[in-house]
Amino acid sequence: MHPIRLSATTALALIMQCATPAVVAAAPAGAPVVVDRNCADGDFVLTVEDFREPSQFPGIQDLINSYQSASYLSFIDGVLARRYPTGKRIIDIAGGKPAVDRWLWSKNTASQVLGQLSTVVHEVGHGIDKSVPENRYFVARSKSGADVVFTAPGMHGKGTTSNSPKYSMARSLLLADLDNRKRPPAQRGTITTSKEFGSGSHGSDRDYAETYLNGDPANTKFESGDQGFNMLVEEWTQYINSMAVTYYLSSGGTTRTSDRHALLTHLWWIERYLAKIRVEQPDQYSYLIASAPWRQTVLSLWGRSWRYLTSTLPGMEPDSGQVTELARQPHLLDEIQRLRAGHGCDNPVELFP
Ligand SMILES: [Zn+2]
């Protein structure tokens, strides 16, 4: 009831005392953001990504109408230059025709070629990243035309190389975390480590698990799941390309591919991998979070992923709703927020509200 009179100096000091802890406490208290417009993930989307909405897609019907199988390469160049310059740049870096010929199986019609472009860019993208010994990730051709490439050291799987500044957990061990029980990824074939199945529905991610999480890290046989964080990120990088090509070639309502599902599955795996090593392999986690190149790489890929995932085109993906929910669980989004905090970001604001 008594008015409190403060000098201007005292009032300012009180405001500053109150304001400082409030800002620090804001991140863990509120619901975690998916993409933070104030950190590297949002910054990549806002300043680097050359993104277009469907209404802005340049026409390619003239290229389709004049398609000739003998000139499939110039057709691909033309389509990608107009719709997805990052994909054209990947093929150019790889040397063009020989790289494309490894992955393009049918070229009788324009439709056949368009149907394979997502896979072609994905595989050729692997090729350019793996053409150097470092962990190199070609992420995008930027708005300015410059290449966006990240190189991050270490985090190889044991047994994948004889020399790494820091080895990282075999990715097959993702099958043994608690989140795996929410969507058992494989019950049919050759997976040897997955003894942790719970109940729940099955989706196409069992196929991805068989491809990427297969194998027992304790045996001497090399299997795909023996690979570590560096290759999990490499696969993620290329599934973003797959999703982007499918997005940019979509005519709306007719495209049904697994690209959205694959990308969401990788986001879910990345979050779980961060959570698992933070608790069980603190030396690996400390190495990762102390590395500016790794933080930049993961956060940029994270923002880029959601740029495409939040721009929906009808029919693009059956059965991705559950994986979307799984990737957006607050306890897993917190793992991305921890990376942001390590990157000096303390004021998260949702970019895609
Ligand atoms: Zn791949």
Side-chain angles (χ1 to χ4, degrees):
M1 297 299 287
H2 299 280
I4 300 170
R5 298 171 62 191
L6 299 172
S7 72
T9 313
T10 311
L12 183 61
L14 278 174
I15 289 166
M16 290 180 71
Q17 278 175 7
C18 293
T20 305
V23 169
V24 171
V33 302
V34 178
V35 176
D36 180 3
R37 82 161 40 236
N38 292 334
C39 201
D41 45 340
D43 189 49
F44 182 89
V45 171
L46 291 169
T47 65
V48 177
E49 176 77 276
D50 185 12
F51 179 81
R52 282 167 289 185
E53 297 289 349
S55 61
Q56 301 169 310
F57 289 178
I60 53 171
Q61 195 59 47
D62 59 318
L63 300 175
I64 294 171
N65 292 345
S66 62
Y67 179 77
Q68 293 183 332
S69 59
S71 48
Y72 63 92
L73 197 63
S74 63
F75 173 75
I76 289 173
D77 278 350
V79 167
L80 290 177
R82 292 186 196 178
R83 290 284 178 94
Y84 189 48
T86 290
K88 175 171 171 14
R89 180 65 181 144
I90 286 170
I91 287 172
D92 286 347
I93 292 172
K97 186 173 186 299
V100 170
D101 285 350
R102 268 190 79 190
W103 302 104
L104 187 70
W105 295 299
S106 308
K107 36 189 170 289
N108 293 333
T109 67
S111 172
Q112 285 178 345
V113 174
L114 293 176
Q116 295 165 90
L117 263 191
S118 163
T119 300
V120 168
V121 173
H122 175 124
E123 299 297 347
V124 174
H126 279 315
I128 64 171
D129 281 355
K130 302 321 289 177
S131 66
V132 297
E134 299 82 26
N135 296 321
R136 182 177 69 177
Y137 306 101
F138 182 90
V139 175
R141 178 185 175 278
S142 70
K143 285 177 183 173
S144 70
D147 293 341
V148 181
V149 185
F150 298 120
T151 302
M155 300 301 284
H156 307 82
K158 274 203 176 102
T160 64
T161 174
S162 59
N163 183 25
S164 178
K166 176 64 72 179
Y167 290 109
S168 66
M169 180 186 80
R171 63 187 177 191
S172 63
L173 291 175
L174 288 172
L175 295 176
D177 74 358
L178 289 176
D179 250 75
N180 188 56
R181 295 163 187 256
K182 297 174 183 173
R183 191 180 177 92
Q187 293 204 339
R188 50 163 199 179
T190 56
I191 283 205
T192 56
T193 59
S194 50
K195 299 183 175 71
E196 300 291 325
F197 296 131
S199 57
S201 62
H202 286 66
S204 63
D205 54 348
R206 68 178 179 184
D207 299 315
Y208 300 116
E210 293 231 345
T211 303
Y212 300 113
L213 306 184
N214 181 52
D216 181 349
N219 67 16
T220 54
K221 181 183 172 194
F222 179 74
E223 292 141 315
S224 65
D226 293 343
Q227 294 187 317
F229 189 75
N230 66 325
M231 289 304 291
L232 188 60
V233 172
E234 170 58 31
E235 207 58 60
W236 178 22
T237 304
Q238 301 316 327
Y239 273 114
I240 298 172
N241 279 322
S242 300
M243 172 85 187
V245 172
T246 298
Y247 170 78
Y248 283 123
L249 295 184
S250 174
S251 49
T254 56
T255 311
R256 292 177 70 82
T257 79
S258 59
D259 294 320
R260 175 184 292 274
H261 204 133
L263 179 51
L264 284 163
T265 299
H266 277 79
L267 295 182
W268 189 37
W269 287 350
I270 289 284
E271 294 169 298
R272 288 161 54 191
Y273 194 104
L274 292 170
K276 195 166 174 65
I277 65 169
R278 182 173 55 79
V279 174
E280 299 175 8
Q281 305 287 346
D283 60 322
Q284 295 175 20
Y285 187 77
S286 299
Y287 176 87
L288 181 74
I289 205 159
S291 165
W294 272 120
R295 294 193 309 263
Q296 181 77 42
T297 301
V298 172
L299 288 172
S300 301
L301 292 172
W302 178 263
R304 181 162 157 77
S305 299
W306 289 104
R307 170 72 280 185
Y308 290 96
L309 290 168
T310 51
S311 293
T312 53
L313 287 173
M316 236 183 97
E317 173 56 29
D319 190 31
S320 60
Q322 191 201 6
V323 198
T324 303
E325 287 175 25
L326 291 171
R328 296 177 71 128
Q329 294 174 95
H331 76 280
L332 292 181
L333 292 177
D334 279 345
E335 298 299 335
I336 304 301
Q337 185 54 37
R338 287 189 175 93
L339 272 189
R340 294 189 192 108
H343 210 56
C345 305
D346 59 5
N347 183 27
V349 175
E350 183 65 66
L351 179 60
F352 302 117

